[in-house]
Structures are given as C-alpha cells and as structure tokens.
Amino acid sequence: MVAKRDFVVRFAGEGGQGMVTASEALAAAAAQVGYHVMTFVTFPSQIMGGPTWSQCRISVTPALSNGDELDVLVAFNKEAYNVHKDELREGGILIYDSEVFSIEDVGGDSTNIVALPYQELGKSTGNPRAANMVILGAIAEFVNWPDKYLSDFNVKRFTRGRPNDEEVVSANEMGLQLGKKASTDSGFSLGELAVPNPPDYEQILIKGNDSLSTGAIAGEVELFVGYPISPATTILTFMEEHLRGEGKFVYQSSSEIESITAISGGGFAGKRSMTSTAGPGFSLMSEGLGMAWMMEIPIVVVDAQRGGPATGLPTKTEQSDLYMAMHPAHGDAQLPVIAPGTVEECFYAAMHALNWAERYQGPVIVLSDHMLTERTQNIRKPDPNLIPIERREVYSGSNGYQRYDGSSVTPMPIPGGPGAYVANASEHDGIGDTTHLPQRHVDGTERRFNKLKTLEDSLYESRNTQHSVAVMPWGGQKGPTHEAYEFLMEKGVDVAWYYTMFLSPLNPKLIKELQDKDLVIVPELNYLGQFASILRQHRINAVAITQYTGLPFKVHRLINEITNMVEQHANESTKAGV
Amino acid sequence: MTKRNPEYDFKWCPGCGDFGVKRAIELTIKARTNELSIPTENNVMVAGIGCSGNLVHLTDGPQPFGFHGIHGRTLPVAFGVKSANPDLQVMVVAGDGDFLSIGAEHIGPQAKRNLDITCVIMDNGVYGLTKGQSSPTTQLGVVTSTTPGGKIESEVKPFPLYLSLGVSFIASAFSSQPKEMAAMIREAMDYPGFSIVHIQSPCTTYDDTYDVLRGNAKKGIDPLTYDIPDTHDSSSVEAAYDLVNGTGIPLGVLYAAKDPSPLNERFDNLGRKNDSRDVHDLIQSFAIS
C-alpha cells in the first residue's frame, strides 16, 4: 500500500475546550519531525464558548490549503458532530467523547467511529489537561506514527523549568499511550503517513500576523498606534511586546480615527509609522487616509480583512475590502495596495509596504485576511536582508522651500530641520498654503498620481504563459488556487498562472501580459468579483470565481470550475474558428 | 493674502478676535526661541478646520512647521507628532466647533495621557467658516441659521468640561488682551503636560460679543469677564470649579496641576528604550526546534 502523503484532522466543539491547543500541538509536533503543516482556526466573536473549530493539515510536501476533506474529525460535542460529519472523507475516522454524548445514528457504515472517553482517560493520568494528549496519541496511531514523534514533542514542549515539569510530561506520556491503545483496540487505520521529507533550508513555524509584525520590525517600523479589532489585534499586541528601543513608540489608541491621524502625525514628524485594523476600523480611517494622500505623508495601514459589510463576520475570512483599500477616501485618490498571499509573504509585504510609503511619500495599504492572520504554518526562515531598507528623501536645504512644487516625489522637510511648510489637507501651493486656483488643483492631482509610477517595478509570478487562458488568484486564496493549479498541471490542462501581491499599482508589464490573454480567471472571496473588475478596467478579460461563505475555497471546487471554464473557452474558440 | 504669500486668499473679517491670538502666539514662540534657544523649526502648529485653523497660514516672521489636517482631529495628530519626537514643541490651534464638537472625543484620552502639548482654543460661539451655524458654545436661545427658532439645547461649558476630564493646565483668556494672553500661552507652553488656553475670540460677523465680554458703560453693559484674583489657588481643582461655576468669565490661570508627569516621560520610564529587539533573534524565536 502506498503511504499517505497528506493528513487532515479537524477538532470541533465549544470554544475553550482545547480544540485550538490540540490542533496547534499536532502541527508543532509534525513540524518538529520535518512535515509541512498548516492550521486553520475559526471561532465566533466571544471570549468563551460558541462553535469553534481548528484544522491541522500535515503533509510531506508544502501545505498550500487547509485540505478539503477530513481524515479525522474529533467532535467535542454533538453539535460539532452534526455540523462537521459530512466533511469526513470516505473511510475517515470520527473520534468523540462517549462520556459527553452518544451517537445512535452512525450515518452509514463508511465512517469509522471511535468512542474515546478522553476526558476520563485524561483525568486518570493524574492531570486532566492530558486529555488532549489522549486524542493526539490516538490520532498518531491511525497513521502509524512512531511513538517518538509525540513523545519527543511532549518532552520539549513541557520541559519549561517549572517544578512540576516531570509530572506534566509523565502524565502527558501516559495520555499518549492511553490514546494509542484505544486506537489500536478500535482496529481502524488510515494507512501509514509517508516519512517526512524535511526541506534543506531553515524554517520557522509562525502565524500570519506574527509574520507580518516581524516583517514590520525588520522593515524598521518606529511608531505604531493601533486599536483592538479582530483579526488584527494580534499585530497590536505583538508590537506592544516587541517594538522597543531608542526612538520607538507604540500605543493603544482610543479609536481608529485616532490611530490613523496619530500615525499621520508620526509620519509627518519623520518616523516610519504604521497601524493595523480590520474592515470597520478601516472605514473609520477613510478621511485620514485621504489626508495622508493629500499631504504626502508616508504611513502604512494593515487591513486584516474579515467578512463585511458593517460588523459583518468578525472572525471569518473574506476578500471584500479590495475596492475600499484602493479607494478608501473621497476625491481623486488611489492608494498602493500590497496583499500577501502566504504566511511567508506577510513578512515581506510589511517590509515592502514600509519601503513603498517612504519611496512615494504617502499611505500604503497592506491587505491581509483572516485566512492568513490566524493560521500557523512552517515557512522558509525569512531573510530581512533580501529587502534593503528605503528611506524617504529628507530636505536639507534652506528655509523658504516649496515642498509641493514639481510633478513627482520631492524631498520632504522634517520638523526640527529646515524647510518649514504646512502639511495641508486642503489643496495647496508649494509651501502648503491653501489655494483654490484651478491650475494648482490640476498640478497637485497629477503630481499625486504621478508619484505612483515610482512603484510600478514590482515583481510578479508567471508560469506556462504560452496558454491563452490564465488563472490569477490574489491574497489568501493564493494557496488553494496554487494547489488546484498543481493538480491541473498534472492533468495536462492548458492554463497559465499569474500572481502578484502588489495589486496597486499593477506592474504595467503584467497588465500587458494579461491583456494578451483570452481569459483571466480570478478566484476571490467576495460577491462582486472585485479584483476581476479592476483587471477589466485595464482592458483585461477577467472573470471571477466568487464565494462569500466566510470560509476559504475548497480546492476541488476550484479544480472543477477552472477546468470547466478552460474547456468552455476551448469549445467557443473552436466554434469561432479561432 | 499674506505678506509672505500673495497667492494665499483666505482672510479673517475686520475685528476678528483671532488677529490678537495670532499676535500672542507669534510673540510667545519668538520669546521662547530667544530665551530658551528653542529653534522656530522645532515648533509644530497643528491646526483645526475653521476660521481659527487658518492661523497656521497667517503667522508672520520665522515659520514653524504646520499641519492643517481634517476637521476635529488636531489632538490625535499632535499625539503622533509629539510621540514621534518629544523634542518638538507642539501647539494645537482650533476653534470651539473643531475642538468641542466633532473633536471632543479626543480631549479625554489626551488629558489622561497628559500629552505635553498646548492647545490654543479660539471660542467665538459660532461656526464662522460655514457662515454662522450653532456651535457647542452657542448660548441657549440664540438664533443662528441652524437654530432659526433659537437654540434649544444648553451650551457646553468648556472649563468644567476640561476640569472633569483631568486636563492638567487650564487658562482662560480674552483676545482683546494680547499681553495677558501671550503670558498665559507662554506659561502653558512651558508647563510639562497637557495645557489648554481657552480664549474668548469674538466673531464680528456672526456673534459680536465684544461689548458683552469687556462691558460698555455707554450702553450700560457690565463686563462678563473679570481677572482671577491673586488669592486663587491654581493648584486646587476645587478652587477652579468654584471659579468656573460662578457667574462671569474669569480670566487667568484657572488650574495647573502640581508635578505633572507627561506621557513621553512615563513612556520612557517603562524602560523600553534600552531594550531593543534584534530582528534576527525575533525571527529565531519562531524556529522549529
């Protein structure tokens, strides 16, 4: 029997029951022995309770999506069983706590059901917290993992220099063995998981928001002011913990209006300044973003997208803020937008954004999404040296400087130095005084848009460009689309691949290449097909595959839809005699 | 049109109180430059939207840096500027509409943080720039274009408001007394904490209150303003409340909290300055072990 290459486990129950801990522990243990891992967490917006689930994918090749089907479902309560059982694959295994609820209707005979009283078993180890270890021990046995994997993880994780380390480790080990025994007794197996094939480069295991925050620190952010909001809060808390040192400032604001105006003040005063928020907070920043664009102040705003509009789906994923990211404010303005597509790209997106803000002297949006913010993944260890730090050109001449004269970026005076001017949110003349002269508004408007041209040299990915139909995902849906694309390549489907995290301004060379395609398919998590419509503005024949469930794409859906669209296009081309 | 910029087309109406305020600010910044060796370019003037905010474009002589942003947000901008560089001398210039209506939500947080900035508030009791609508300090019953039947809500009382929010330094001034006004602005700027100099700065077009404020014997009007007696204990919140809850408008320093500890000082005391993070160590902390 060929060994399994991929393994997906979902833990579902009530918030606070340990689903996320179990999933993260399984991922960490698997990563330690060299597997590729990706977790996914979704929970309601409340401190405790509510239906929560966490998924862990373990693979011998890099994990690109959460995995469509479950090999194992651990149902912590009956509701979780009812909601998630249909996602269990044929021959998959259901684990439930037989002390918590009973399953009379097994839903056909294709599901292997293991009644595992893990809470009781956990308690029997002397440490009730070992319940999770009982579950992990059982799961590991279904794929024939050597005992060593989880035992070593247990020792490493729980040897923390506390007086009771030994007791905890030994209770956990007992839990692992109890789980393993239950698993063996059940007689079920999923087949052996192939041995890991660790990459030959250094790796880290990190969440999207931590990666982005670390990237911001690598990008030498100096001033950070933010307000708590899901799913961006962990960027603020990371900064509160780690943004330290001479000249650094971090603070929790009283509102997103305060965040955006405070970082504008910081950028004006010469600091690399940044905030993070999600949809509702981003809406409140609208006027301030227009101000920074008008005044030409370098700032970076992270919008960690969640479901909208209004309060929407605070803890679910969606890609419906793209229009808003590009055009957040009234009047003629178009902001640069960088949307990372992987946890690794989150790191570099933050570095690039800080550089872009300094280079073109204005606000830059980093568009992340819930799919990226909360998931843990093993990634190649980021190298800050790959992105040299760019700094704004600072004015060093004499007073009486016309800061806003000229048709593109000009040196910026910094308070305390020469060249005093007024940063003015009203249309202004060279020194920043308010003006209503038509020519000033013409010149000012054109200058502000011209500056964007300094950002048009961005990188993009392209593969198999000989094909006339292309697929082009953006943001967090890069992963599932990438996985679908690899499958389509194996099947020999004729489709090209394009991708960039630099969504605005798009590299003109990329636009030209896409214009030459008959069809560009854009999978995106929104109703309107926002990125596809932006591509159409560039006279690119783009069509979106949309979804607005609050959840990421399933890979098989993308495979089917892309295949159908490619075939349909081929048929139409034949009919048209092309 | 200003002396330094013929293209600039904004002007205040003749007799506007803001002229006096502008003069007082110019004198204060100049005196501090001369006496304390604080370069003019270390001054940042954060202006609100309204007639008063245009002061930032009208100052004569050596120019401070200016930030003329969006309506109501002077305080958080000042917070960002001051936090980015505590060496800068940050002054907010705004009116009663900008500061006490759309921007009022920001006074509380900045007062509690005790941000070391000085707010010079020009109160004319009306929205002048938009041509005469009711403002928070417009008195009950006053007819304006948005209160044609007379204002039916009572006015905001700035001084009790500032005291209740914990503002560290509060002074009350009148635009007709530039010398006294300059002295108060000077004291506020030298004060290490959040300071507000709230100035009666009448609008000669929509709400000319000069006679009411300084009195007019010919018309039989008693002055509403009076000088705070020397016996006033400005370190006492209770004494300040007593003054502002009485009749008339007391002029002078109402309140100056003793030993204020401004935000930037307290932030420094957290000891984060000498505790920088090496980014490579930070990345390494996520290593798979």
Side-chain angles (χ1 to χ4, degrees), chain A residues 32 240 244 381 429 433, chain B residues 5 57 68 272 275 284 289:
Chain A
Q32 273 178 13
E240 288 281 3
R244 289 159 181 262
K381 185 175 160 180
D429 60 21
D433 283 337
Chain B
N5 189 353
H57 304 289
H68 198 180
R272 302 171 66 103
D275 185 26
Q284 197 55 37
S289 56

Side-chain angles (χ1 to χ4, degrees), chain A residues 31-32 156 203-206 210 214 217-218 223 238-246 248-254 257-258 261-262 265-266 268-269 271 287-288 291 295 297 378 381-382 384 413-417 420-425 429 432-437 440, chain B residues 2 4-5 7-10 39 41-44 49 54 56-58 63-71 73 75-85 88 102 105-106 109-110 113 263 266-267 270-277 279-280 282-284 286-289:
Chain A
Q32 273 178 13
K156 275 190 200 164
Q203 295 191 99
I204 61 171
L205 186 68
I206 193 166
D210 288 347
T214 309
I217 286 176
L223 182 141
F238 189 99
M239 291 299 173
E240 288 281 3
E241 181 62 31
H242 297 295
L243 185 60
R244 289 159 181 262
E246 182 70 39
K248 304 288 199 295
F249 183 81
V250 56
Y251 217 80
Q252 177 181 335
S253 66
S254 64
I257 290 177
E258 193 178 67
T261 44
F268 165 78
K271 297 282 184 184
E287 192 188 13
M291 175 186 79
M295 291 179 163
I297 296 176
N378 62 306
K381 185 175 160 180
I414 305 298
Y421 71 107
V422 180
N424 194 344
D429 60 21
D433 283 337
T434 308
T435 175
H436 305 97
L437 295 180
R440 285 285 187 195
Chain B
T2 61
R4 65 176 172 81
N5 189 353
E7 182 183 322
Y8 183 61
D9 60 6
F10 178 86
E41 61 265 27
N42 273 34
N43 288 274
V44 175
I49 297 294
N54 285 288
V56 74
H57 304 289
L58 294 164
Q63 293 296 301
F65 276 79
F67 193 111
H68 198 180
I70 49 178
H71 198 27
R73 312 302 166 200
L75 284 177
V77 168
F79 168 53
V81 173
K82 186 72 183 176
S83 304
N85 183 356
L88 297 174
I102 186 170
E105 70 190 68
H106 302 296
Q110 301 312 355
R113 290 167 191 160
L263 179 72
R266 275 177 289 130
F267 188 79
L270 294 174
R272 302 171 66 103
K273 234 184 202 178
N274 305 316
D275 185 26
S276 63
R277 291 282 189 273
V279 73
H280 298 278
L282 197 54
I283 294 168
Q284 197 55 37
F286 294 98
I288 300 169
S289 56

Side-chain angles (χ1 to χ4, degrees), chain A residues 306-516:
Chain A
R306 61 193 219 183
T311 310
L313 295 167
T315 54
K316 302 284 177 185
T317 203
E318 203 163 272
Q319 298 177 292
S320 48
D321 291 354
L322 180 58
Y323 284 159
M324 172 110 188
M326 283 178 68
H327 302 285
H330 60 273
D332 273 324
Q334 179 181 312
L335 301 202
V337 177
I338 303 177
T342 64
V343 170
E344 188 179 4
E345 285 176 11
C346 284
F347 180 91
Y348 296 108
M351 289 195 80
H352 281 296
L354 286 157
N355 277 353
W356 270 22
E358 296 282 315
R359 191 196 300 174
Y360 104 107
Q361 294 179 14
V364 174
I365 309 302
V366 177
L367 203 52
S368 183
D369 54 66
H370 181 264
M371 167 83 175
L372 293 168
T373 60
E374 301 296 320
R375 84 181 189 216
T376 300
Q377 204 178 343
N378 62 306
I379 62 169
R380 182 191 285 267
K381 185 175 160 180
D383 180 2
N385 299 328
L386 291 177
I387 317 288
I389 301 291
E390 296 178 40
R391 296 177 203 286
R392 73 189 77 172
E393 201 183 332
V394 173
Y395 178 72
S396 58
S398 52
N399 283 336
Y401 172 54
Q402 302 290 309
R403 187 261 181 278
Y404 293 112
D405 273 3
S407 58
S408 189
V409 182
T410 48
M412 181 173 176
I414 305 298
Y421 71 107
V422 180
N424 194 344
S426 299
E427 190 57 277
H428 40 261
D429 60 21
I431 202 155
D433 283 337
T434 308
T435 175
H436 305 97
L437 295 180
Q439 194 57 44
R440 285 285 187 195
H441 191 43
V442 171
D443 292 347
T445 302
E446 289 176 0
R447 169 190 165 94
R448 291 185 285 273
F449 279 93
N450 270 340
K451 286 161 54 192
L452 293 174
K453 294 205 171 83
T454 63
L455 309 177
E456 285 181 346
D457 60 348
S458 57
L459 297 174
Y460 59 92
E461 297 175 11
S462 61
R463 289 168 64 187
N464 302 310
T465 56
Q466 73 276 20
H467 300 307
S468 58
V469 178
V471 61
M472 185 176 188
W474 68 275
Q477 295 315 297
K478 180 189 187 185
T481 312
H482 187 182
E483 187 171 331
Y485 188 77
E486 295 299 335
F487 182 88
L488 293 170
M489 286 302 95
E490 270 177 43
K491 294 260 286 185
V493 176
D494 292 342
V495 60
W497 166 271
Y498 285 92
Y499 169 79
T500 183
M501 67 170 158
F502 304 98
L503 298 186
S504 177
L506 284 166
N507 186 323
K509 277 193 276 182
L510 171 61
I511 293 174
K512 178 76 185 60
E513 282 190 57
L514 293 172
Q515 282 170 341
D516 290 343

Side-chain angles (χ1 to χ4, degrees), chain B residues 58-234:
Chain B
L58 294 164
T59 46
D60 292 311
Q63 293 296 301
F65 276 79
F67 193 111
H68 198 180
I70 49 178
H71 198 27
R73 312 302 166 200
T74 53
L75 284 177
V77 168
F79 168 53
V81 173
K82 186 72 183 176
S83 304
N85 183 356
D87 291 338
L88 297 174
Q89 309 290 308
V90 184
M91 174 187 285
V92 160
V93 290
D96 45 302
D98 189 282
F99 200 70
L100 292 170
S101 183
I102 186 170
E105 70 190 68
H106 302 296
I107 304 171
Q110 301 312 355
K112 286 288 116 191
R113 290 167 191 160
N114 201 22
L115 190 63
D116 183 14
I117 61 160
T118 296
C119 306
V120 177
I121 304 308
M122 286 154 263
D123 184 354
N124 58 7
V126 73
Y127 282 77
L129 204 62
T130 46
K131 303 199 189 302
Q133 294 77 36
S134 157
S135 96
T137 53
T138 303
Q139 305 287 306
L140 184 70
V142 170
V143 173
T144 73
S145 62
T146 47
T147 55
K151 194 180 176 198
I152 57 171
E153 67 192 56
S154 56
E155 67 278 10
V156 165
K157 295 187 185 309
F159 295 116
L161 176 73
Y162 299 154
L163 285 165
S164 71
L165 292 173
V167 176
S168 295
F169 180 103
I170 305 163
S172 168
F174 179 24
S175 63
S176 286
Q177 303 173 356
K179 218 178 79 194
E180 291 83 348
M181 192 164 39
M184 278 185 257
I185 295 172
R186 172 68 190 267
E187 200 175 334
M189 288 190 82
D190 290 348
Y191 181 85
F194 189 55
S195 55
I196 297 178
V197 181
H198 191 94
I199 300 167
Q200 308 301 321
S201 181
C203 173
T204 46
T205 301
Y206 294 109
D207 189 22
D208 191 338
T209 51
Y210 278 114
D211 281 351
V212 176
L213 289 166
R214 66 183 161 208
N216 186 327
K218 279 185 206 161
K219 295 182 188 167
I221 302 170
D222 288 334
L224 198 59
T225 57
Y226 67 96
D227 291 338
I228 294 175
D230 293 343
T231 51
H232 172 65
D233 176 6
S234 64

